[in-house]
Amino acid sequence: MPEQPAAPRQLKLGAFMRPVSLHTGAWRYPGGWPDANFNFDHLKTMIRTLERGKFDAFFMADHLAVLNMPVAALKRSHTVTSFEPFTLLSALAGATERIGLVATASTTFDAPYHIARRFASLDHISGGRAGWNIVTTSNPDAALNFGLEEHVEHGERYRRAREFFDVVTGLWDSFADDAFVRDVESGVFVDPERMHVLGHKGEFLSVRGPLNIARPPQGWPVIVQAGASEPGRQLAAETAEVIFGAAPTIEDGRLFYADIKARMARIGRHPDSLKILPGAFVVVGDSLDEAEAIRARLDAGVHYDSGIASLSIALGHDASSFDPDGPLPEIPETNASKTGRDRVVALAKRENLTVRQLAQRLGGFSGLEMVGTARSIADTMEAWLVSEASDGFNIMFPYLPGGLDAFVDKVVPELQRRGLFRTGYQGTTLRDHLGLARPANRFFPD
Amino acid sequence: MPEQPAAPRQLKLGAFMRPVSLHTGAWRYPGGWPDANFNFDHLKTMIRTLERGKFDAFFMADHLAVLNMPVAALKRSHTVTSFEPFTLLSALAGATERIGLVATASTTFDAPYHIARRFASLDHISGGRAGWNIVTTSNPDAALNFGLEEHVEHGERYRRAREFFDVVTGLWDSFADDAFVRDVESGVFVDPERMHVLGHKGEFLSVRGPLNIARPPQGWPVIVQAGASEPGRQLAAETAEVIFGAAPTIEDGRLFYADIKARMARIGRHPDSLKILPGAFVVVGDSLDEAEAIRARLDAGVHYDSGIASLSIALGHDASSFDPDGPLPEIPETNASKTGRDRVVALAKRENLTVRQLAQRLGGFSGLEMVGTARSIADTMEAWLVSEASDGFNIMFPYLPGGLDAFVDKVVPELQRRGLFRTGYQGTTLRDHLGLARPANRFFPD
């Protein structure tokens, strides 16, 4: 891919969302929108707030199944059902002007002709704002909805994903940008010499082409990935332009960042042609106390049954017999990840949490958190950016719409004051926002 | 399905469109929009005009391939590429309030979980305005884009379509309408007792379910079909709520109408629970002469190369050596359909057409046409409705936007004056417009 022009380094900000929030207790938060899963007006309000905040992209989480969970947890979960992301993003394209629109599509359970067509169409409809989050879908519940009794093996999934990527991008290149002549006088609408028939036959896929849609405004919609495994990292280093990372600490972030950019260097890709955006759960208050009180209130919305299941998994030990209102007892060594368990034990000590509070914390959201004031959150983000732990973040809001409003009204202006974030959109496409070049057409490079 | 309430019989009107028109010469018509295939603003303008005209539904034509045609025809065709209908309709949902949105999805080249999800989501986003045009996709060019060297046999395609329909509607019924409790106080979001796991295992499909989306506002999006073959008619009589018909004459229309409604009676369906809407190409002028001049100008935009290919197919005889500016010569008997050939010969005689004019007529559009004034067109439509040849029409406009504007500004008011068409939308959903009942949930009938 072509190199990027040098520019002052600023944060890139995506919003990673479920309609009610990713926090499992959020639907019970005062002033929240428990019905947002199927309330399109609420979604329009949210994305317009994000656009007011000059976010790079809106990214809706997705699953291809009602996840298999115990009934006690299922009945309390607002994450079971919501809009299908592709229809949602197409509808939101008409309600917005600039913000990028990233949808997830699986390379295991869909056909490349469909995927190429829909993302190209979204890119045309939105004027160049589409992004494709490539997932290989590791969820066995999803497999059962697509006629597969056993899930496809990991390595095979990634080989198929790579081939799928090559086919989809090849289909996007079916027409040269100047193929559509539309000369009313001579009666020539399209120049067949500027149309390429893909004729792909590979290990997993056979696709003739051409795609029945003009090349997308962005050339290709932006390629997004989240894989953290060895084959996932390699696929991302070869093909991704955005990685939605999951580093829980700044140290983890630096290691991941260095690893990916080194893999890119080895295959000759410019490091700026891929942006690494870890997910960050951000709770902002006017004081640290207020922010912590918001988080505590949010966690209190998590039912104990759900929380204790999460705590048991994190500890590798059944926690259901612990005294909910006592401190975390000593527990024997287990097979659970020692790092993960030590982190939970340290968290309980550091914040002096009861078993109930700890369970609700883990059941609500676990991962990278920033809980504080606009200044302290901006400090943290700046530290990540400056130390090359990330190129920005995918922000997760604690509850909606209030948690989103607080971020846009408080954190964004603080980042702008420091010169760390745009004060207005410079271009019109998602590639413009992210500073990514438009890829050349492999069949019509001129 | 439940019976319909009695109501004065009025026409139902859909718009069957390609962005530039279905007429192959339309992109060259003065004042047309040759770039409409990828111009979302043009599509918004068109659908808003349809909504002003109180149309029941907007229906975008679709193919899953660049159709294989000779290069001489391909280079002149504006129908090769356009928006993917599903992304387009989702985006248009946000730009409209009442009009129905019908998208095509193939039961041969897609998965029922995806289809169920997307149509349910479009129905939620649009407030109950989605319709699913079920096609089995008979096009061999499409098969090659989905890894199939040989096309699936006709009877098998229809058996799969029927099973696919059962699975999709079963997935739509995954949740009772009252499943989502969202009781903030008790912390119960969804009642698992009001969720059904489909667990389907059939001849072609294995789908566990449940669908991860609430039941659509319409219960099920409206089921549309176009099959005219024996298994196509039977599938439609069993499952369809709208048939997009192709009767070329009022006599053909009556026979088809009687056949479908008789099939419905045999299986106990109420005849009003399915609306038959033949496609009609409507050219309106202030006088018959003006209308014919518009059509002649439109046909003149069809390149002779494309037209002569269509004429040769219709005659079953190579017409390329005929004198373009002479009358149609006598031709020997061939294997071509005698009815079809006789119709072409009669047309040439009746309108005194040269070979060129005849070729351009057939190359532009062939099928049911209504060319005349608002009054003569309304007379024709009334005759079809009164004689039970149809329940309305799927209107095809000769060129856009002018041909659409003329229909809405001239024909619609004439139909309204006669009490044959609504003057305003009575309800909010596509089912409301069409007078179709909301289907009961098969798993939660109460």
Side-chain angles (χ1 to χ4, degrees):
Chain A
M1 280 177 217
E3 300 199 356
Q4 314 300 313
R9 196 145 174 267
Q10 287 192 323
L11 290 162
K12 306 298 177 190
L13 293 182
F16 181 62
M17 303 183 72
R18 280 191 175 276
V20 183
S21 157
L22 279 115
H23 190 288
T24 60
W27 69 276
R28 300 175 76 186
Y29 197 90
W33 281 336
D35 69 337
N37 286 335
F38 301 109
N39 187 319
F40 182 59
D41 286 339
H42 285 350
L43 270 294
K44 275 199 287 197
T45 300
M46 291 182 212
I47 198 167
R48 284 171 175 160
T49 303
L50 290 168
E51 198 163 47
R52 179 164 65 79
K54 315 301 176 200
F55 268 65
D56 292 77
F58 171 91
F59 181 5
M60 183 55 68
D62 193 31
H63 285 296
L64 290 172
V66 171
L67 299 186
N68 190 19
M69 52 177 102
V71 168
L74 175 67
K75 70 193 286 195
R76 305 186 183 285
S77 172
H78 67 77
T79 64
V80 166
T81 54
S82 61
F83 294 115
E84 187 277 329
F86 220 91
T87 38
L88 177 63
L89 292 196
S90 301
L92 291 174
T96 52
E97 300 286 333
R98 296 294 185 92
I99 192 168
L101 303 161
V102 180
T104 293
S106 165
T107 56
T108 304
F109 300 123
D110 215 323
Y113 203 84
H114 285 315
I115 297 299
R117 236 185 134 204
R118 278 198 285 272
F119 280 93
S121 192
L122 180 61
D123 209 46
H124 281 286
I125 287 169
S126 65
R129 297 188 281 136
W132 173 27
N133 178 40
I134 304 182
V135 299
T136 65
T137 315
S138 59
N139 189 296
D141 299 323
L144 293 173
N145 288 330
F146 292 87
L148 296 177
E149 289 296 322
E150 288 183 38
H151 203 60
V152 185
E153 176 266 319
H154 194 74
E156 183 178 322
R157 278 212 323 273
Y158 274 90
R159 287 208 313 287
R160 182 181 155 98
R162 178 58 212 241
E163 186 181 337
F164 199 110
F165 167 83
D166 291 338
V167 171
V168 167
T169 52
L171 288 171
W172 284 334
D173 288 345
S174 290
F175 289 94
D177 288 319
D178 61 2
F180 293 92
V181 177
R182 300 190 198 105
D183 181 354
V184 169
E185 197 54 45
S186 70
V188 175
F189 189 84
V190 58
D191 179 358
E193 300 284 315
R194 307 292 284 165
M195 176 183 96
H196 179 84
V197 178
L198 188 64
H200 174 89
K201 282 185 200 291
E203 183 184 359
F204 300 99
L205 302 165
S206 167
V207 181
R208 181 176 183 273
L211 194 66
N212 55 357
I213 192 160
R215 195 160 191 255
Q218 294 187 101
W220 303 350
V222 173
I223 304 296
V224 182
Q225 275 168 256
S229 66
E230 171 59 34
R233 287 176 185 221
Q234 191 55 30
L235 181 67
E238 292 172 9
T239 65
E241 299 175 292
V242 171
I243 293 182
F244 179 9
T249 68
I250 192 167
E251 294 77 23
D252 294 318
R254 278 193 210 111
L255 290 172
F256 183 78
Y257 194 96
D259 175 63
I260 294 291
K261 302 265 166 155
R263 287 173 193 257
M264 292 174 69
R266 283 199 288 277
I267 56 170
R269 283 188 74 192
H270 192 287
D272 289 347
S273 65
L274 191 164
K275 310 296 178 189
I276 297 177
L277 311 182
F281 184 78
V282 179
V283 183
V284 56
D286 288 332
S287 65
L288 178 59
D289 281 353
E290 194 197 16
E292 287 184 340
I294 291 169
R295 209 256 304 274
R297 191 172 202 173
L298 199 57
D299 288 348
V302 178
H303 198 274
Y304 190 64
D305 292 348
S306 311
I308 209 70
S310 303
L311 178 59
S312 299
I313 290 165
L315 295 174
H317 184 96
D318 180 8
S320 61
S321 62
F322 296 170
D323 173 11
D325 298 311
L328 186 67
E330 292 292 320
I331 44 168
E333 290 288 323
T334 69
N335 290 330
S337 149
K338 194 170 177 320
T339 325
R341 205 189 48 171
D342 287 353
R343 193 172 293 139
V344 171
V345 172
L347 168 67
K349 279 231 175 76
R350 188 172 66 246
E351 301 197 22
N352 198 23
L353 301 175
T354 64
V355 166
R356 183 191 309 276
Q357 289 167 328
L358 184 63
Q360 287 176 324
R361 174 74 60 85
L362 296 176
F365 175 82
S366 61
L368 174 61
E369 294 187 340
M370 300 179 191
V371 181
T373 63
R375 282 185 65 175
S376 75
I377 290 165
D379 287 346
T380 305
M381 291 188 169
E382 187 164 7
W384 279 68
L385 183 72
V386 169
S387 68
E388 299 206 324
S390 80
D391 297 305
F393 297 93
N394 258 308
I395 309 298
M396 295 175 271
F397 305 101
Y399 62 98
L400 293 160
L404 163 57
D405 292 341
F407 188 92
V408 166
D409 293 332
K410 295 173 183 174
V411 180
V412 167
E414 178 64 24
L415 294 173
Q416 289 169 332
R417 251 189 305 278
R418 300 182 186 198
L420 292 172
F421 192 58
R422 69 174 66 84
T423 53
Y425 292 106
Q426 299 300 305
T428 60
T429 71
L430 179 54
R431 288 185 178 277
D432 291 340
H433 308 337
L434 293 170
L436 298 169
R438 187 175 192 267
N441 188 317
R442 79 181 72 162
F443 306 119
F444 304 101
D446 52 324
Chain B
M1 280 178 219
E3 301 200 357
Q4 315 299 313
R9 197 147 173 266
Q10 288 193 323
L11 290 163
K12 306 298 176 189
L13 293 183
F16 182 63
M17 303 184 73
R18 282 192 173 276
V20 182
S21 157
L22 279 116
H23 190 288
T24 61
W27 69 277
R28 299 174 75 186
Y29 196 91
W33 281 336
D35 69 336
N37 286 335
F38 301 109
N39 187 318
F40 182 59
D41 285 339
H42 285 350
L43 270 293
K44 274 199 288 198
T45 300
M46 291 183 214
I47 199 166
R48 284 171 177 161
T49 303
L50 289 168
E51 199 163 47
R52 179 164 64 78
K54 316 300 177 202
F55 269 65
D56 292 77
F58 172 90
F59 181 4
M60 183 55 69
D62 193 30
H63 285 297
L64 290 172
V66 171
L67 299 187
N68 189 19
M69 53 177 102
V71 168
L74 175 67
K75 69 193 286 196
R76 304 186 184 285
S77 172
H78 67 76
T79 62
V80 166
T81 55
S82 62
F83 294 115
E84 187 276 327
F86 220 92
T87 38
L88 177 63
L89 292 196
S90 302
L92 291 173
T96 52
E97 298 287 332
R98 296 293 185 93
I99 192 168
L101 304 161
V102 180
T104 293
S106 165
T107 57
T108 304
F109 299 123
D110 215 323
Y113 203 84
H114 286 315
I115 297 299
R117 237 184 134 204
R118 278 197 287 273
F119 280 93
S121 193
L122 179 61
D123 209 48
H124 280 286
I125 286 169
S126 65
R129 297 188 282 136
W132 172 27
N133 178 40
I134 304 182
V135 298
T136 65
T137 314
S138 59
N139 189 296
D141 300 324
L144 293 173
N145 288 330
F146 292 88
L148 296 177
E149 290 295 321
E150 289 184 36
H151 203 61
V152 185
E153 176 267 318
H154 194 74
E156 184 178 322
R157 279 212 322 275
Y158 273 90
R159 285 207 315 286
R160 181 180 156 97
R162 178 58 212 242
E163 186 181 339
F164 199 109
F165 167 83
D166 290 338
V167 171
V168 168
T169 52
L171 288 170
W172 284 334
D173 288 346
S174 291
F175 289 95
D177 288 320
D178 61 2
F180 294 91
V181 177
R182 300 189 199 105
D183 182 353
V184 169
E185 197 54 45
S186 69
V188 174
F189 189 84
V190 58
D191 179 357
E193 300 284 317
R194 305 294 283 166
M195 177 183 95
H196 179 84
V197 179
L198 188 64
H200 174 89
K201 281 184 201 290
E203 183 183 359
F204 299 99
L205 301 166
S206 167
V207 181
R208 181 175 183 274
L211 195 66
N212 56 357
I213 192 160
R215 195 162 191 255
Q218 294 187 104
W220 304 350
V222 172
I223 304 296
V224 183
Q225 275 168 256
S229 67
E230 171 59 34
R233 287 176 185 220
Q234 192 55 31
L235 181 68
E238 291 172 9
T239 64
E241 299 175 293
V242 171
I243 292 182
F244 179 8
T249 67
I250 192 167
E251 294 76 24
D252 293 319
R254 277 192 211 113
L255 290 172
F256 183 78
Y257 194 96
D259 176 63
I260 295 291
K261 303 262 167 156
R263 287 173 194 256
M264 292 173 69
R266 283 199 288 275
I267 57 171
R269 282 188 74 194
H270 193 286
D272 289 346
S273 64
L274 191 164
K275 309 297 175 186
I276 297 177
L277 311 181
F281 184 77
V282 179
V283 183
V284 54
D286 288 332
S287 65
L288 179 59
D289 281 353
E290 193 197 16
E292 287 184 340
I294 291 169
R295 207 257 303 274
R297 190 171 204 174
L298 200 58
D299 288 348
V302 178
H303 198 275
Y304 190 63
D305 292 349
S306 309
I308 208 70
S310 302
L311 178 59
S312 299
I313 290 165
L315 295 173
H317 184 95
D318 180 6
S320 62
S321 62
F322 295 170
D323 173 11
D325 298 311
L328 185 67
E330 292 292 318
I331 45 168
E333 290 288 322
T334 68
N335 290 329
S337 148
K338 194 171 177 316
T339 325
R341 205 188 50 170
D342 288 353
R343 194 172 292 141
V344 171
V345 172
L347 168 66
K349 278 231 175 78
R350 190 172 65 245
E351 301 197 21
N352 198 23
L353 301 175
T354 64
V355 166
R356 183 191 310 277
Q357 288 168 329
L358 184 63
Q360 287 176 324
R361 174 74 60 84
L362 296 177
F365 174 84
S366 62
L368 174 61
E369 294 187 341
M370 300 180 191
V371 181
T373 63
R375 280 184 67 173
S376 75
I377 290 164
D379 287 345
T380 305
M381 291 188 169
E382 186 163 7
W384 279 69
L385 183 72
V386 169
S387 68
E388 299 207 324
S390 80
D391 297 304
F393 297 93
N394 259 307
I395 309 297
M396 296 175 270
F397 305 102
Y399 63 98
L400 294 159
L404 163 57
D405 292 340
F407 188 92
V408 166
D409 292 333
K410 295 173 183 175
V411 180
V412 168
E414 178 64 26
L415 294 172
Q416 289 169 332
R417 248 190 307 277
R418 299 182 186 198
L420 292 172
F421 192 58
R422 68 173 67 85
T423 53
Y425 292 107
Q426 299 300 306
T428 59
T429 70
L430 179 53
R431 287 185 179 278
D432 291 339
H433 307 337
L434 293 170
L436 297 169
R438 187 175 192 265
N441 188 318
R442 80 180 73 162
F443 307 119
F444 304 100
D446 52 325

